[in-house]
Amino acid sequence: TCSRANGQPETLEDGIPAPVPQNIDSPNLSLLAEQLNFKSGKVYQFSFLIEKKLGSNVVSLGYIGDLGRNLPAVINNINVPNPTGLTPTQILAINHPPTFAVLPNLGSVGYYESTGLSSYHGLQATLVRRYSLGLSLNASYTWAHATDDVSNLSNEGQEGFSNANPYNLGDFEKGNSDLDLRHRVAVAATYELPIGKHGSGLRKTLAGGWELSAI
């Protein structure tokens, strides 16, 4: 609707073209569909933590899990033949989409369904040194793995990917999540400098109370 009859693009001087209403017989027709019983996504979270105090230090070790169910899945085009039970030769021999006999002008049919799955499992180790002898410390290490069989909705298939088999996302689309981060170390420390702690007057005012902090 935004090109001239001879295929040349419109220009700004031509003004904004009026959109042409689409109907079921329009050429190059495409549709968007949604699963009839579309469900809200669910996330189940669970954790187990062991903590021990050792002097001025607190050590903890824990497991954290996160399971996503009924996640929204975006299928670029469901108007393709179901490859189940067909050989590659038979699939390549198909010249038209399944809807061709009823809607010959219909091309792609994007589809939203709530069948996505995700999982996250992580082991966390933490060391906290409460303020002692001028030093406080918080260090943590996480070893984790996140997998899913859907991309997030903000991508919606526009990042250059497509579905290997839109009829079986679970077997062909499952892999490491976009948010998969196997190893993560975070350390934060503060050390109160001993300079000027035992002075007095102006010397203590200028030299005392300084700290070094790092993240």
Side-chain angles (χ1 to χ4, degrees):
T1 59
C2 294
S3 61
R4 303 177 191 270
N6 60 2
Q8 297 300 315
E10 296 280 358
T11 63
L12 292 178
E13 289 81 1
D14 297 325
I16 299 177
V20 178
Q22 298 287 297
N23 59 60
I24 205 68
D25 297 316
S26 297
N28 302 318
L29 179 67
S30 62
L31 300 175
L32 286 176
E34 181 180 307
Q35 181 182 347
L36 290 177
N37 58 338
F38 195 90
K39 301 176 182 178
S40 297
K42 300 178 182 178
V43 177
Y44 301 94
Q45 296 177 323
F46 41 91
S47 61
F48 177 77
L49 181 69
I50 298 176
E51 192 172 78
K52 176 70 175 177
K53 185 176 183 296
L54 302 172
S56 299
N57 305 311
V58 177
V59 179
S60 62
L61 185 66
Y63 164 74
I64 295 179
D66 187 310
L67 300 178
R69 297 294 182 264
N70 299 334
L71 303 181
V74 181
I75 298 178
N76 293 342
N77 183 18
I78 203 169
N79 192 24
V80 293
N82 189 339
T84 303
L86 301 180
T87 65
T89 302
Q90 291 173 322
I91 295 175
L92 293 174
I94 299 175
N95 297 321
H96 302 293
T99 57
F100 182 77
V102 180
L103 297 172
N105 294 326
L106 179 59
S108 65
V109 178
Y111 190 61
Y112 294 84
E113 61 181 11
S114 54
T115 59
L117 304 174
S118 70
S119 68
Y120 172 89
H121 303 281
L123 176 68
Q124 287 189 344
T126 303
L127 169 65
V128 177
R129 177 184 173 88
R130 296 169 179 170
Y131 184 83
S132 177
L133 300 177
L135 176 65
S136 61
L137 174 70
N138 191 319
S140 63
Y141 167 70
T142 303
W143 176 38
H145 189 198
T147 62
D148 63 51
D149 58 9
V150 293
S151 178
N152 55 64
L153 274 178
S154 60
N155 282 344
E156 292 195 5
Q158 304 303 315
E159 304 304 316
F161 71 88
S162 60
N163 309 109
N165 182 357
Y167 294 93
N168 190 357
L169 297 183
D171 286 347
F172 292 92
E173 306 295 334
K174 184 178 180 180
N176 296 330
S177 171
D178 290 343
L179 303 178
D180 182 38
L181 187 61
R182 300 297 175 88
H183 304 278
R184 182 178 186 271
V185 177
V187 180
T190 299
Y191 177 63
E192 184 182 45
L193 297 177
I195 303 173
K197 291 183 64 175
H198 305 292
S200 61
L202 181 61
R203 178 183 177 185
K204 183 175 182 179
T205 301
L206 296 177
W210 291 91
E211 295 180 344
L212 289 178
S213 299
I215 298 178

